[in-house]
Amino acid sequence: MWDSRRSSDRHVVERLSTLRTGDVPNDVTIDDLSLTGFRMSGVHGLNEGDLIKIGLAGVGVRDAIIIWLGDGVAGCRFSDPIAQLEFERTISANTVVEAQFSADPVIPAEIDERVGEDQVKSDSHEPKIFLAAVVLSWAAIVALGYAIFSFLR
């Protein structure tokens, strides 16, 4: 039976994380966190006593052990408690990438308005070079075949 007395206070974080059991990654949510452990949801296929690795935003991967399991929820204890600085870093880490997006579409200069909005002008000679290489290759094969046929006659 698991002892519900905690060695440190837990703080609600509700942060997405990656749980690894062996080499298999699973997406979970860390619901709350303390210096000594955490509760996570989205857990399936684990057993009490399993050793896991959990990613902490802004800190990295830490080893932990499953202490108790509920319906898709698990209580875990870190193998080594995290430091206060790591705790503060992970609860304050910003996992959202900020960017500025424009509502105005960017129209490339190559678009030829005379041909239609969906067609792009191509100044590239690559298709022509490829076609010429194919034709020359076949011409060489035909010439070689003709030479062999003439020689064998």
Side-chain angles (χ1 to χ4, degrees), residues 2-33:
W2 177 69
D3 185 358
S4 64
R5 290 174 290 157
R6 295 191 177 118
S7 57
S8 63
D9 292 333
R10 294 198 179 212
H11 297 275
V12 175
V13 291
E14 295 189 8
R15 180 173 298 281
L16 295 177
S17 184
T18 300
L19 162 77
R20 289 190 181 272
T21 53
D23 290 333
V24 180
N26 294 297
D27 293 330
V28 294
T29 301
I30 297 177
D31 299 317
D32 59 44
L33 179 71

Side-chain angles (χ1 to χ4, degrees), residues 59-130:
V59 174
V61 177
R62 295 293 182 261
D63 293 331
I65 186 168
I66 305 291
I67 301 300
W68 60 265
L69 288 167
D71 187 25
V73 180
C76 304
R77 182 181 67 232
F78 290 117
S79 296
D80 294 312
I82 61 174
Q84 181 67 36
L85 181 61
E86 291 176 314
F87 175 80
E88 291 169 8
R89 189 176 293 154
T90 196
I91 62 172
S92 65
N94 186 1
T95 58
V96 176
V97 176
E98 294 182 19
Q100 292 182 346
F101 297 98
S102 171
D104 297 329
V106 176
I107 301 173
E110 303 90 47
I111 294 184
D112 185 355
E113 295 173 3
R114 293 173 291 148
V115 205
E117 293 178 11
D118 295 340
Q119 296 181 352
V120 176
K121 261 205 289 192
S122 175
D123 292 331
S124 175
H125 297 291
E126 290 175 10
K128 294 174 188 173
I129 293 171
F130 177 75

